[in-house]
Amino acid sequence: MKPTLLILAAGMASRYGSMKQIDGFGPNGETIIDYSIYDAIKAGFGKVCFIIREEFADNFKAIFEPKLQGLIETEYVFQSYDLTPFGIDKTIERAKPWGTAHAVLAARDAVKEPFCVINADDYYGYDAFEKMVEFLTTEVAEDQYSLIGYQINNTLSENGSVSRGVCKVDENGNMVQINERAEVYFKEDGGIAYKDETGEHDLPADTRVSMNFWGFTPAVFEQSKPMFTRFVQANEDKPKAEFYIPLVADELIKTGAASFKVIPTKSKWFGVTYVNDKDIVKESISKLVESGTYPLNLWNDVLVK
């Protein structure tokens, strides 16, 4: 059974200022999602499942169905504010959904095979998809999950500080801990640091970080469902609290329910955290096309067809 690609695309893109998930960056208006799906098809994924807000559905289908028909199975599921499936019989007013791990739970009835999770607005590179398919078809188990570990120097923005999940990895290549650093940036001397309430701290350039590229089996749905219920109950009066995938990973690791293999990749990540990142992303994709990594007309490539 081929694995499924789960794309998180329900965010509101508050910092970017528009619906960046379907913004055009390629030479023919290709979205970042196009390049992720292209790489996923070539790597061996069998289905793509979009996690979106219901009001985005028509836009997504109009953009992606003509391209993907006959190439890969597609499915759309909605991240909603309805808490009754989690045993919570109340409405909690929020401006944004409950976060990435809640978004994954939205796919619990649609995904029955090993799957990976990615962000819609991040470029990950083919090497990452190829390595994830290898893991999902040969190693994944209910107690053995994974994430792609990027070198931190391959993930930062020139336009401001970013949040990064910094991984602590043991001698077996498994994640021991993931620490969310909210303010990571390039220093004037080219080094890398993060800042917290205690001051500035340097980070080695080869530090492995999570860019939200995870590998799971469907068992994670039942594992994380009670975690989400507890999270909502503890944070119902905090409208900005979000249930992130690293919170799930951390609890599974601490309880011994699952380990997470950190799969290193040589790929360079880029994304659109800030509006000024758009030109950088366009230039990066243009260089990848010029180098032959991608064809000029992405969906006319005979290797994919």
Side-chain angles (χ1 to χ4, degrees), residues 8 36 68 71 154 179 181 213 305:
L8 305 183
S36 291
L68 301 180
L71 296 178
N154 284 336
N179 296 303
R181 303 304 184 191
F213 197 139
K305 296 274 188 182

Side-chain angles (χ1 to χ4, degrees), residues 135-150:
F135 174 83
L136 293 175
T137 54
T138 63
E139 295 183 59
V140 73
E142 292 186 3
D143 61 352
Q144 177 66 72
Y145 299 143
S146 70
L147 71 155
I148 299 294
Y150 285 78

Side-chain angles (χ1 to χ4, degrees), residues 121-164:
D121 48 9
D122 292 346
Y123 172 85
Y124 292 101
Y126 177 73
D127 180 68
F129 288 95
E130 184 178 44
K131 288 178 175 176
M132 182 57 78
V133 165
E134 176 68 18
F135 174 83
L136 293 175
T137 54
T138 63
E139 295 183 59
V140 73
E142 292 186 3
D143 61 352
Q144 177 66 72
Y145 299 143
S146 70
L147 71 155
I148 299 294
Y150 285 78
Q151 284 194 187
I152 195 168
N153 64 323
N154 284 336
T155 72
L156 300 185
S157 171
E158 300 285 352
N159 292 309
S161 64
V162 295
S163 295
R164 290 291 177 263

